[in-house]
Amino acid sequence: MKTHDRADELNVNTLLFKFQRYWYLFVGAVGLALAFAYFKIQTTQPTYSFHSTILLADRATPGSRGTQELLTMDGQGKETKVEDEIGLLTSTSIMEQSLRKLDFSVSYYLIPNSWLNKLGNLQIREQYEDAAYRVRVDTLHPQVSGVQFFVEQLPNGSYHVHGKGENASVIEVPTGKTVNLLPEFEFDKEVKPGESVVLPNLSFTVNPAPGVLPSTITNTITSGNQYFFTINSLKNLAAEYQSKITVKPRERYSRVLDLYTKGSVASRELQFLNTLMETYIKNDLIEKNRDGRKTLEFINSQIAHVGDSLRRSEEALASFRAHNGIVDEGTQSNSGIQKLSDLESQRAQLIVTRRSYAQVLDALRSDPDGTGGSWASASIDNQVLNSQLTELSTLINQRAGYSVNANSDNPVVQVLEGKIQSRRQAILRSIAGQIRSTDASLDDLTRRIATVQGNINRMPENERQMARLRNISGINDRNYTFLMQKQSEASMLLATNVSDKKIVDRAQIMSSVPDSPNKNQIYLIALLAGLILPAGFVVLRERTKQTVQSADEIRNATNAPFLGIIAAAPKPVHIVRRDLPKSAVTESFRTVRVNLQYVATGPSSRIIGFTSSVSGEGKTFCCTNLAAELAMSGRRTVLIETDMRKPTLAGYFGFNPDNAGLSTYLSGECTLAEAMQKTEFPNLTVITSGPIPYNALELLEDPRFGQMITGLSEEYDYVIIDTPPIGLVSEYTVIRQHVGVTVFVVRHAYTNREMLGTINEMRQYHGDTPVYVLLNGVNYSATYEYRYKKQSAYYA
């Protein structure tokens, strides 16, 4: 047996047909959606996209590349990490520095005098340079933030400024810190141009915009438009721009960064992008100059120390010459002294190198957090160690940048802290190793010097002393010359220092067409929504219906033969052959009558019982009109109403319901002839239920009922029995044994699908009586399956 629910298989044609029935829903939904789209477009301020480009250096150097190549110190630097630079460029500190340079502390707004704003302040447009007035706030004074201050031009040239708010925040403008919260705030005052308004939580002045004539201001502000301004928090502004700016490399490994932002006021967004890039580059140059100054300070301290040593050695040499009367030093030189001089020079260089290592080591140990930074500018003739120190300095700078917005518990700060400590320990081990290696070299030179010294001891004492003093003076002189050269180079570096980063493209608008609202997209979405929503409603409504919608549902739910369909008829109509002779419903009864004659061929099959699941499904309507059709076709037909609990058949023919009928015959109060009534249709006799009895079931169980049926079947061609609904009372079980064919009436869009199971139960438990299904009340215009039958009345 098929139990598949046809309702779950709505095909495309059926779906389109159902959509056509509810065309008014689609028209209304599309109209409302397009109206909402228009409303959305009109109330949304257009926003545009803006773009600029900045170039990063491929190596992070402490100064300009050209000057850096002049130094013998490490000039390679560390490779620039694009991700780190993007993080710095979009950091809160850079945002706040940029915004402090701009006049964004006040936002200006316009409420146009439009029909939409008659419904409320729906259209609000932000202004900037086109505002007819300017508000200057005292940034050193606490200010109320977020409150709308409306400005009106008065005839005397003054401004009427008023505003109110609840839970208004009082902030420090430079920091954005909230210092107070006002449960209620109200301001209403006449302010003259340039007059300072000073209140405990407010301080500002209002002036005409530069270049705007007073008459222009009056015409602008009194045009019916409304104007207001708000005082912004620097912290909130920075957060706003951080959320809408996008920075990304042009390609995967490219060092060209594209900056994008969106806004409704072009001049404001262009200024912000340009100022942001300029601030970023300026900070980079400040950082490089700071490193250069530290390097120069270190070299100057070394020059002062070596200069003192050189002066003392030269004084000692001159004093020795004067005391011993030595004039020609050349005659006192020999190869031993020259060799000793060379060894002493090497030893002095190692001592200077070791002192540099020791100074860096002491600086690192005394500065565990790396905040002092004196070790970062140390001059060490070791490229590997210089590279490590540069990397450590970069990590510490990154940590300082993140610490502005994050605390020590932040995972990023903790990772940087781990890298810093790891690199610091590696540098400490490296310097300690270099010191040990230098000490070993010094020990070796000391032994060699001692050997040469022993040979020189055999020289004349004056000559030996003279050579030693000259050797010391030469060493100091070479060291001093070396440091002076480094000082000159460091000064040149500081004087010519420039940033390795530069602006490639200044900020510009990407397109004159606004990004939002996108009119085409909004209207398209509205159109789709206007179609999809009613379509979804129709599909959901059809799928949630529990009533029988088509003959296919009957065929899929039961194996009972399908007798036919009856078109829907107007409610006041009872007998369609009389009231609607040329209609689709009359033609459908003719068709069913023909089908019924084919299935009711035997003598017992001509006794036909009509039943249904519940009342109201048109059982009496169907059996009455089919009986009339059989009678009009020349068959002698008798129609018996056995539904004695709720009789309605008398009303179809205009009979008095209290006349003698089935109940009076079965109770013995009248004869069968007295219970039978002739109708206007030839060959059609009707036995109504008669007066309503109290024992309807007992009367039907009386043997006289069976005898009556048998006698009528011999006298008439067809005996049509109108039985009670099978789902409500039990009379059908008694009547079933007297009928040869059962017609189960199902009403379209009324009978519950679950009641179709009753048909299967009837076939299972009463298999000796054929059961046919008749679908009643089908609206051809509302049913895709039978839409073509609308024209059936044409052939009637």
Side-chain angles (χ1 to χ4, degrees):
M1 180 177 64
K2 297 180 181 180
T3 59
H4 187 60
D5 192 351
R6 179 61 176 164
D8 291 333
E9 297 182 356
L10 293 176
N11 57 45
V12 175
N13 291 331
T14 303
L15 208 57
L16 293 177
F17 180 81
K18 292 183 182 297
F19 291 164
Q20 182 182 358
R21 283 193 61 212
Y22 295 98
W23 62 268
Y24 53 90
L25 290 181
F26 288 89
V27 172
V30 169
L32 287 175
L34 292 178
F36 178 79
Y38 175 80
F39 185 82
K40 175 69 175 176
I41 292 172
Q42 294 299 317
T43 56
T44 302
Q45 184 168 2
T47 59
Y48 302 84
S49 291
F50 304 90
H51 169 255
S52 62
T53 308
I54 193 170
L55 174 65
L56 305 178
D58 59 347
R59 309 291 293 183
T61 64
S64 62
R65 189 178 308 280
T67 306
Q68 197 59 219
E69 292 174 352
L70 298 174
L71 303 178
T72 58
M73 296 183 292
D74 178 33
Q76 298 299 316
K78 183 189 174 187
E79 184 176 353
T80 303
K81 290 187 178 180
V82 176
E83 296 81 1
D84 295 341
E85 297 302 321
I86 292 176
L88 290 174
L89 191 55
T90 58
S91 65
T92 303
S93 59
I94 294 292
M95 292 289 174
E96 291 182 352
Q97 289 180 45
S98 303
L99 291 171
R100 285 192 186 99
K101 299 176 183 178
L102 299 167
D103 185 19
F104 289 178
S105 57
V106 176
S107 294
Y108 303 90
Y109 298 93
L110 161 69
I111 303 177
N113 183 20
S114 63
W115 67 270
L116 277 174
N117 284 331
K118 303 296 183 182
L119 307 175
N121 294 337
L122 303 177
Q123 280 185 320
I124 299 179
R125 298 292 182 258
E126 185 175 2
Q127 297 182 298
Y128 183 54
E129 293 180 344
D130 52 342
Y133 61 97
R134 290 288 184 271
V135 177
R136 293 290 179 264
V137 298
D138 183 0
T139 57
L140 301 179
H141 193 281
Q143 302 288 350
V144 173
S145 176
V147 175
Q148 295 180 354
F149 293 93
F150 286 85
V151 179
E152 300 174 8
Q153 180 77 34
L154 299 178
N156 60 3
S158 299
Y159 300 98
H160 178 212
V161 182
H162 59 95
K164 64 167 54 178
E166 296 181 356
N167 297 322
S169 299
V170 180
I171 62 168
E172 294 178 350
V173 176
T175 63
K177 180 182 178 182
T178 300
V179 296
N180 194 9
L181 188 65
L182 302 178
E184 293 184 0
F185 173 81
E186 185 172 0
F187 178 84
D188 192 335
K189 186 176 181 181
E190 179 181 339
V191 180
K192 296 180 179 179
E195 177 186 359
S196 296
V197 176
V198 181
L199 297 176
N201 299 312
L202 192 64
S203 179
F204 67 89
T205 59
V206 183
N207 288 292
V212 178
L213 298 176
S215 58
T216 305
I217 299 175
T218 303
N219 294 334
T220 301
I221 297 186
T222 60
S223 61
N225 300 330
Q226 297 184 64
Y227 299 84
F228 69 90
F229 66 89
T230 60
I231 300 175
N232 300 318
S233 163
L234 180 63
K235 183 178 181 181
N236 293 339
L237 277 177
E240 175 188 347
Y241 277 98
Q242 271 185 306
S243 64
K244 68 181 183 180
I245 192 169
T246 301
V247 182
K248 57 184 179 180
R250 182 160 294 181
E251 295 179 0
R252 182 174 181 182
Y253 298 107
S254 174
R255 301 191 180 279
V256 177
L257 300 183
D258 291 314
L259 285 73
Y260 301 93
T261 187
K262 292 184 178 181
S264 56
V265 182
S267 58
R268 180 180 174 127
E269 302 304 321
L270 294 174
Q271 287 185 30
F272 168 75
L273 276 181
N274 290 331
T275 305
L276 178 66
M277 294 187 295
E278 292 167 359
T279 303
Y280 171 69
I281 293 175
K282 183 177 180 181
N283 285 356
D284 179 70
L285 182 59
I286 291 174
E287 185 72 19
K288 287 178 169 56
N289 286 336
R290 185 185 65 183
D291 293 340
R293 284 191 294 270
K294 289 183 178 180
T295 301
L296 187 59
E297 290 173 1
F298 177 79
I299 294 176
N300 289 335
S301 65
Q302 294 296 312
I303 287 176
H305 176 73
V306 175
D308 290 340
S309 299
L310 176 60
R311 179 178 53 79
R312 288 193 296 269
S313 63
E314 288 179 346
E315 289 177 354
L317 180 59
S319 175
F320 183 79
R321 284 177 174 175
H323 184 270
N324 294 283
I326 300 175
V327 178
D328 187 5
E329 298 178 6
T331 59
Q332 300 172 2
S333 301
N334 53 46
S335 60
I337 294 175
Q338 183 62 41
K339 186 175 182 180
L340 179 62
S341 175
D342 293 337
L343 291 175
E344 289 286 357
S345 177
Q346 294 178 27
R347 185 171 179 273
Q349 289 288 346
L350 286 177
I351 290 173
V352 171
T353 301
R354 189 187 186 286
R355 184 184 299 115
S356 298
Y357 286 144
Q359 289 177 344
V360 174
L361 183 63
D362 292 339
L364 284 172
R365 287 175 175 174
S366 62
D367 185 19
D369 293 332
T371 56
S374 59
W375 44 268
S377 57
S379 175
I380 298 177
D381 191 14
N382 187 318
Q383 293 186 359
V384 174
L385 187 55
N386 277 333
S387 177
Q388 291 176 338
L389 290 172
T390 303
E391 183 177 357
L392 178 60
S393 177
T394 301
L395 290 173
I396 290 173
N397 289 335
Q398 290 181 6
R399 181 185 64 183
Y402 281 114
S403 64
V404 174
N405 299 312
N407 55 35
S408 59
D409 295 331
N410 189 285
V412 176
V413 176
Q414 291 179 350
V415 170
L416 282 175
E417 186 65 32
K419 290 182 178 180
I420 289 171
Q421 295 302 325
S422 175
R423 177 56 57 197
R424 183 176 178 276
Q425 294 300 323
I427 293 174
L428 289 174
R429 291 192 297 270
S430 176
I431 294 176
Q434 292 292 337
I435 290 176
R436 288 193 296 271
S437 176
T438 304
D439 289 339
S441 299
L442 285 172
D443 292 340
D444 179 65
L445 282 174
T446 301
R447 288 191 297 271
R448 293 168 62 189
I449 289 172
T451 301
V452 174
Q453 187 69 40
N455 296 329
I456 293 177
N457 286 336
R458 293 190 293 271
M459 295 171 54
E461 183 64 22
N462 288 344
E463 185 179 353
R464 183 175 63 82
Q465 288 291 338
M466 187 66 185
R468 183 179 65 80
L469 293 173
R470 185 171 54 82
N471 183 46
I472 294 173
S473 178
I475 293 172
N476 289 332
D477 182 66
R478 284 191 294 273
N479 289 340
Y480 187 80
T481 302
F482 172 79
L483 291 174
M484 289 298 294
Q485 180 184 358
K486 293 301 181 184
Q487 183 191 45
S488 176
E489 292 171 350
S491 299
M492 186 185 301
L493 168 65
L494 191 59
T496 60
N497 217 2
V498 294
S499 176
D500 294 318
K501 304 169 179 64
K502 65 178 181 179
I503 297 175
V504 178
D505 295 318
R506 298 189 68 81
Q508 55 188 346
I509 190 170
M510 296 182 65
S511 173
S512 59
V513 178
D515 289 352
S516 65
N518 188 325
K519 295 183 180 180
N520 294 334
Q521 184 181 37
I522 291 176
Y523 279 125
L524 178 61
I525 293 175
L527 179 62
L528 292 177
L531 296 174
I532 292 174
L533 290 178
F537 169 77
V538 172
V539 172
L540 181 63
R541 186 174 184 272
E542 294 298 325
R543 287 182 177 271
T544 53
K545 284 182 178 179
Q546 298 299 317
T547 57
V548 175
Q549 299 297 314
S550 68
D552 283 339
E553 294 180 6
I554 299 175
R555 297 188 182 98
N556 289 326
T558 177
N559 289 327
F562 188 70
L563 186 62
I565 60 171
I566 302 297
K571 287 186 177 181
V573 175
H574 288 140
I575 302 178
V576 297
R577 186 65 180 267
R578 178 188 63 198
D579 301 331
L580 300 170
K582 291 185 178 182
S583 64
V585 62
T586 304
E587 184 61 28
S588 64
F589 273 114
R590 291 193 185 101
T591 304
V592 173
R593 185 259 299 171
V594 174
N595 294 340
L596 188 62
Q597 288 177 326
Y598 276 107
V599 300
T601 55
S604 61
S605 301
R606 293 176 182 266
I607 304 173
I608 305 171
F610 281 76
T611 188
S612 64
S613 58
V614 294
S615 63
E617 293 175 314
K619 165 181 58 62
T620 301
F621 174 77
C622 290
C623 69
T624 300
N625 281 278
L626 281 173
E629 287 293 333
L630 288 170
M632 291 296 293
S633 66
R635 274 73 173 176
R636 293 172 301 163
T637 307
V638 59
L639 175 60
I640 306 172
E641 183 180 27
T642 62
D643 189 355
M644 292 182 286
R645 299 176 187 267
K646 191 178 179 182
T648 58
L649 185 60
Y652 280 71
F653 298 95
F655 298 153
N656 187 347
D658 295 328
N659 289 346
L662 183 62
S663 62
T664 54
Y665 169 72
L666 294 178
S667 61
E669 297 178 9
C670 70
T671 63
L672 181 60
E674 293 174 338
M676 301 175 70
Q677 302 182 68
K678 293 295 183 180
T679 66
E680 60 186 290
F681 297 100
N683 301 321
L684 177 60
T685 302
V686 176
I687 301 176
T688 62
S689 67
I692 298 175
Y694 67 91
N695 58 344
L697 181 60
E698 288 78 3
L699 291 177
L700 292 174
E701 291 176 333
D702 191 285
R704 295 184 67 186
F705 178 74
Q707 295 170 3
M708 181 192 71
I709 297 298
T710 302
L712 292 175
S713 65
E714 295 174 353
E715 182 180 354
Y716 290 88
D717 294 328
Y718 288 95
V719 178
I720 307 299
I721 303 176
D722 180 13
T723 70
I726 191 173
L728 299 179
V729 294
S730 57
E731 279 88 334
Y732 177 79
T733 306
V734 177
I735 299 172
R736 179 200 56 79
Q737 56 187 331
H738 302 294
V739 302
V741 173
T742 297
V743 177
F744 194 96
V745 178
V746 175
R747 185 174 175 180
H748 178 260
Y750 182 86
T751 303
N752 195 295
R753 292 195 191 106
E754 296 180 355
M755 299 305 296
L756 296 178
T758 306
I759 302 173
N760 296 325
E761 294 176 0
M762 291 173 61
R763 291 173 57 82
Q764 180 179 359
Y765 297 110
H766 311 296
D768 54 337
T769 302
V771 180
Y772 295 89
V773 181
L774 179 63
L775 181 59
N776 177 42
V778 178
N779 185 351
Y780 293 155
S781 299
T783 307
Y784 177 79
E785 186 178 3
Y786 300 110
R787 65 197 184 282
Y788 61 90
K789 289 182 176 290
K790 291 187 294 184
Q791 307 299 327
S792 60
Y794 175 79
Y795 297 95

